[in-house]
Amino acid sequence: RIRKNFSSLRAIVSALQSNPLYRLKRTWACVHKDSMAVFEELSDIFSDHNNYLTSRELLMKEGTSKFASVESCVKEHQKRTHKRLQLQKDMGAMQGTVPYLGTFLTDLTMLD
């Protein structure tokens, strides 16, 4: 989640929730409680509860799926450009968000 790569995060969480791994009861019992808490938190992000509401809200917060308004488009573009330049100076490279594409494709299918 720190890298904002929700596509890979979804793949890893799905693999850990798969039947062959889920059935390893003794192995899961040996996992440290802190690690299990992190796993459960990450699993909750991609929960299908409320049409993936948690993952949608997190993407809005992280900056991937933002809505543009016509009035503030120019000002917002100037602010973003200034922020990007400052971020490039501070970090040396741009960091974006990689969304889980499955949610968007499902929405597009439902529109059709």
Side-chain angles (χ1 to χ4, degrees):
R1 183 171 164 203
I2 292 171
R3 300 214 181 266
K4 298 183 182 180
N5 188 342
F6 294 99
S7 183
S8 294
L9 178 62
R10 170 66 179 203
I12 292 168
V13 169
S14 294
L16 289 172
Q17 290 175 337
S18 67
N19 278 336
L21 292 180
Y22 182 76
R23 291 186 307 219
L24 299 172
K25 301 289 184 188
R26 284 182 274 171
T27 304
W28 283 108
C30 294
V31 176
H32 196 266
K33 288 183 181 182
D34 293 339
S35 299
M36 280 304 293
V38 170
F39 173 66
E40 289 171 7
E41 177 187 336
L42 295 176
S43 296
D44 288 342
I45 290 173
F46 295 107
S47 170
D48 61 353
H49 180 71
N50 248 354
N51 195 17
Y52 300 97
L53 181 65
T54 308
S55 110
R56 292 173 191 272
E57 286 177 346
L58 190 59
L59 281 175
M60 289 290 287
K61 180 179 151 192
E62 295 292 336
T64 297
S65 52
K66 294 203 174 184
F67 297 99
S69 67
V70 178
E71 298 86 29
S72 64
C73 189
V74 174
K75 289 182 182 179
E76 194 65 33
H77 179 67
Q78 290 172 345
K79 287 180 187 177
R80 278 186 279 153
T81 303
H82 182 67
K83 272 184 170 180
R84 266 191 215 128
L85 291 174
Q86 188 64 35
L87 186 64
Q88 283 177 343
K89 288 178 185 175
D90 293 345
M91 298 181 77
M94 285 298 297
Q95 293 189 5
T97 303
V98 180
Y100 173 60
L101 195 57
T103 305
F104 295 112
L105 293 177
T106 302
D107 290 347
L108 287 175
T109 303
M110 294 300 161
L111 287 175
D112 212 14

